[in-house]
Amino acid sequence: AQSVTQLDSHVSVSEGTPVLLRCNYSSSYSPSLFWYVQHPNKGLQLLLKYTSAATLVKGINGFEAEFKKSETSFHLTKPSAHMSDAAEYFCVVLGGSYIPTFGRGTSLIVHP
Amino acid sequence: SAVISQKPSRDICQRGTSLTIQCQVDSQVTMMFWYRQQPGQSLTLIATANQGSEATYESGFVIDKFPISRPNLTFSTLTVSNMSPEDSSIYLCSVDAGTSSDEQYFGPGTRLTVT
């Protein structure tokens, strides 16, 4: 069994300040973990993924995430938010099957 | 990476009618997936479609309501039958990235509104 919890439905930041989107997971197997971004009226785009290699994963657009097994977390961070980062972000877990489980999503709001 | 297109991109349909959504991939893929994203919600897997076999439906989804075709390795269709307002959602298709990867590539989605 696998599940994923995104702890915040909305995160609001000012442009130029750090971003933290939180994700906790559970899985009976060593999981693969992903972050996807969905801009308005667009499809989902893969930001980054963890697949049992380095625990700190760097993705596109300056995002990175750290896999912490002891905390069962995979939080997404970015040092400095940009207006174009405003979007919906989904944390996804894949463990033991080909069917991923999506979190409910976190809406990132970036203020000028 | 795979490039995926969906048709139509959006539609407004009357209650009781059916809509067929097409998904086209620019390369041959083994597995194709259909998801539903209800307003303000996350993605829910409807079914997995492999070429040459019946689609596998997830709990809560049935073939009579969501028939799927997979005639070849680059194309699939999902039909939403006998629609009701509760079917108003974004429908997305995705494909697996290949045997050496467990990520998926997603199409842009079809935004369906049922009145």
Side-chain angles (χ1 to χ4, degrees):
Chain A
Q2 61 191 29
S3 67
V4 60
T5 302
Q6 291 183 243
L7 297 163
D8 307 292
S9 59
H10 296 84
V11 169
S12 182
V13 301
S14 297
E15 190 174 22
T17 64
V19 175
L20 170 64
L21 305 183
R22 298 182 295 167
C23 173
N24 286 108
Y25 71 92
S26 69
S27 175
S28 303
Y29 299 87
S30 295
S32 296
L33 293 157
F34 310 80
W35 276 99
Y36 284 86
V37 60
Q38 185 180 36
H39 287 94
N41 301 313
K42 297 286 182 65
L44 277 78
Q45 180 183 20
L46 181 68
L47 274 178
L48 50 80
K49 65 178 179 180
Y50 165 79
T51 54
S52 75
T55 56
L56 183 61
V57 182
K58 294 187 183 299
I60 61 172
N61 300 334
F63 284 94
E64 62 182 37
E66 185 171 8
F67 173 73
K68 291 187 176 181
K69 186 175 181 179
S70 61
E71 299 177 10
T72 61
S73 68
F74 191 58
H75 300 335
L76 182 70
T77 60
K78 182 173 181 177
S80 176
H82 192 274
M83 294 298 291
S84 61
D85 294 327
E88 192 80 15
Y89 291 80
F90 293 97
C91 182
V92 182
V93 63
L94 186 67
S97 81
Y98 62 86
I99 301 174
T101 298
F102 283 75
R104 60 184 299 169
T106 298
S107 179
L108 177 63
I109 302 161
V110 182
H111 299 285
Chain B
S1 65
V3 177
I4 304 169
S5 59
Q6 287 184 233
K7 290 182 181 179
S9 59
R10 59 178 63 226
D11 207 342
I12 301 173
C13 300
Q14 299 276 356
R15 181 197 300 261
T17 63
S18 298
L19 176 72
T20 295
I21 302 168
Q22 299 178 7
C23 179
Q24 179 76 53
V25 190
D26 69 342
S27 57
Q28 293 184 339
V29 293
T30 304
M31 301 176 75
M32 296 182 77
F33 307 89
W34 286 99
Y35 289 86
R36 180 175 72 182
Q37 185 180 20
Q38 294 177 300
Q41 302 294 316
S42 187
L43 279 73
T44 302
L45 183 65
I46 297 172
T48 303
N50 290 337
Q51 193 267 337
S53 63
E54 293 286 328
T56 302
Y57 289 82
E58 298 302 305
S59 175
F61 298 97
V62 295
I63 188 171
D64 290 345
K65 176 67 176 178
F66 297 102
I68 289 171
S69 76
R70 181 79 199 275
N72 57 53
L73 291 173
T74 64
F75 187 79
S76 178
T77 67
L78 169 76
T79 299
V80 186
S81 304
N82 188 24
M83 288 184 284
S84 67
E86 293 70 35
D87 294 320
S88 297
S89 294
I90 299 173
Y91 292 85
L92 300 104
C93 74
S94 74
V95 304
D96 66 321
T99 54
S100 62
S101 175
D102 51 11
E103 69 185 79
Q104 293 184 9
Y105 302 120
F106 286 84
T110 295
R111 186 178 295 272
L112 171 63
T113 302
V114 184
T115 60

